[in-house]
């Protein structure tokens, strides 16, 4: 019996791709794969730069679970203009799938920046990397005048299918003819909030309309960040600050940039304010972002609770229906409402409201549900970035990346009325290997399309393509105010500085 038990233990270890205790001898640091924009800090500026590591074993196969604590270490250093040590915050995120994210933030312009990473106390063959610099921090206004060069540095796609689709109705736009019509149609202070933007000579100007225009800070922030990095084309456009798309398919051909699109509208879709802010502010303050999600999940797939987990407010009737379904099948669901706004008269039936919990704890459960709120649920990117299986409600609403996803490849589709939700969960339980594969494919999609690097790319390509459609001359209007860059003292014109003497 003891021999049989020993053999079973060995088989289990093999099936789990060399359990944690054996990783110290199975990992081959020399085979580690390394990639990401943080490996080019002198060419790619972000508040939080990042790159990835994928660990391999001695046979060249991917490690697929966490190897344990302190296996990967990173030291990133540099010098200021005055040869003092640069203040650089470095973070190592274990994604629990054999991959790691190294993330770091510069608080000032640095020189002689060195990226040094060890695996099992061994140097990686590709590192250290040393960059003479300057390596700029996020607040430096140092735009690259060559748009194509910038796109190449950031490894941006030359075109995006969603941008191409969105711009089909707008082959030739003359704002001199439609500008006042757009303002008249959407200047409804109590129901619509809209900002009119003009970018001229890489300076940003705007005029906003509506009572609730606070969300302009998100659009201001991405435009300010982009113009610090690249010289944008002169453009004019209107931004919808609300959740609902505004321009009906059968209405006047008015171009409106929105964070959410729908099958019934022709709004030009941008990344949502949520993923935009998290891409800009990652490591800037405590918040949910696409990298943190991947590095703060502690429950491996085989230990996750085999239930669907959901929390959210009562912004749509189907969310109440979800609670009804979950109560009928408590063995399959852990679903509760956290706030009541739209259906306060039904608190007695669907309440009481449950306390919020950390988003990272969602992934202690094997199945997640993306269900519409007022429009598309903006948590979808973060759910895909986790390591659970995402079930997605069919919807007329979409974000900028939805149409690049494939059902049964990146997520499991669920009918809009949720009538097949229980059936789909049971299918996932019966097809665990397929469910795991879908979850991994979803995470890889986010790494290829939804990280901060990609958000910068999408906005820049959108504005570049939009500029090609404008036939009216771009001029700053009298009623516009300038959105000013933050004050900073970094030196960008290094031609007049003797770097040899400085360094």
């Amino acid at each position: 019996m003891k021999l049989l038990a020993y053999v079973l233990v060995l088989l289990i270890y093999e099936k789990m791709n060399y359990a944690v205790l054996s990783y110290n001898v199975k990992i081959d640091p020399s085979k580690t794969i390394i990639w990401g924009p943080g490996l080019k800090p002198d060419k790619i500026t972000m508040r939080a730069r990042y790159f990835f590591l994928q660990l391999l074993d001695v046979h060249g196969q991917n490690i697929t679970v966490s190897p344990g604590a302190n296996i990967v270490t990173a030291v990133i250093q540099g010098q200021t203009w005055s040869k003092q040590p640069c203040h650089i915050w470095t973070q190592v995120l274990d994604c629990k799938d054999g991959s790691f994210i190294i993330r770091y933030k510069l608080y000032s312009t640095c020189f002689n920046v060195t990226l040094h990473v060890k695996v099992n106390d061994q140097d990686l063959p590709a590192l250290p990397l040393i960059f003479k610099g300057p390596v700029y921090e996020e607040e430096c206004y140092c735009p690259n005048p060559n748009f194509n060069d910038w796109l190449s540095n950031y490894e941006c796609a030359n075109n995006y299918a969603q941008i191409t689709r969105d711009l089909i109705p707008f082959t030739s736009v003359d704002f001199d003819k439609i500008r006042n019509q757009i303002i008249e149609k959407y200047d409804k202070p109590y129901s619509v909030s809209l900002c009119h933007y003009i970018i001229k000579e890489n300076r940003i100007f705007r005029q906003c309309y509506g009572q609730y225009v606070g969300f302009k800070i998100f659009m201001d922030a991405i435009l300010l960040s982009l113009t610090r990095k690249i010289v944008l084309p002169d453009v004019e456009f209107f931004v919808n600050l609300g959740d609902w798309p505004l321009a009906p398919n059968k209405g006047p051909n008015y171009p409106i940039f929105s964070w959410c699109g729908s099958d019934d509208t022709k709004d030009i879709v941008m990344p949502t304010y949520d993923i935009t802010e998290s891409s800009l502010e990652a490591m800037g303050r405590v918040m949910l972002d696409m990298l943190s999600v991947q590095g703060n999940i502690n429950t491996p797939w085989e230990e996750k609770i085999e239930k669907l987990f959901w929390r959210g407010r009562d912004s749509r009737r189907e969310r109440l229906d979800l609670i009804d379904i979950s109560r009928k099948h408590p063995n399959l669901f852990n679903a509760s409402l956290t706030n009541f706004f739209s259906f306060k008269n039904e608190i007695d039936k669907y309440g009481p409201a449950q306390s919020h919990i950390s988003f990272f704890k969602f992934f202690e459960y094997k199945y997640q549900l993306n269900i519409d709120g007022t429009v598309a649920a903006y948590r979808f990117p973060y759910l895909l970035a986790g390591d659970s299986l995402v079930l997605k409600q069919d919807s007329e609403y979409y974000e900028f990346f939805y149409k690049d996803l494939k059902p049964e490849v990146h997520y499991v589709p669920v009918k809009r009325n949720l009538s097949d939700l229980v059936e789909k969960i049971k299918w996932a339980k019966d097809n665990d290997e397929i469910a795991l594969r879908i979850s991994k494919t979803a995470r890889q999609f986010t790494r290829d399309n939804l990280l901060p690097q990609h958000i910068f790319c999408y906005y820049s390509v959108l504005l570049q393509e939009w500029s090609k459609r404008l036939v009216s001359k771009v001029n700053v209007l009298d009623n516009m105010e300038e959105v000013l860059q933050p004050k900073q003292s970094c030196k960008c014109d290094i031609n007049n500085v003797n770097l040899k003497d400085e360094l």
Side-chain angles (χ1 to χ4, degrees), residues 20 23 27 51-55 63-74 90-103 119 290-300 304 360 363 385-387 440 443 447:
V20 171
Y23 264 136
I27 294 173
F51 57 93
F52 290 84
L53 302 180
Q54 174 62 55
L55 303 184
I63 302 296
T64 59
V65 297
S66 174
N70 302 318
I71 296 298
V72 174
T73 58
T90 305
Q91 184 180 42
V92 178
L93 297 171
D94 181 355
C95 299
K96 309 300 190 300
D97 60 358
S99 68
F100 286 76
I101 302 171
I102 312 298
R103 185 161 63 167
V119 175
M290 293 294 290
L291 297 172
S292 294
V293 170
Q294 298 177 58
N296 284 278
I297 298 171
N298 297 313
T299 307
K304 292 181 186 294
F360 304 141
F363 299 99
D387 63 348
K440 289 183 176 296
R443 171 176 276 192
R447 290 182 174 181

Side-chain angles (χ1 to χ4, degrees), residues 143-151 230-231:
N144 187 335
N146 188 319
F147 194 90
N148 290 330
D149 179 60
W150 185 88
L151 290 180
I230 184 175
V231 176

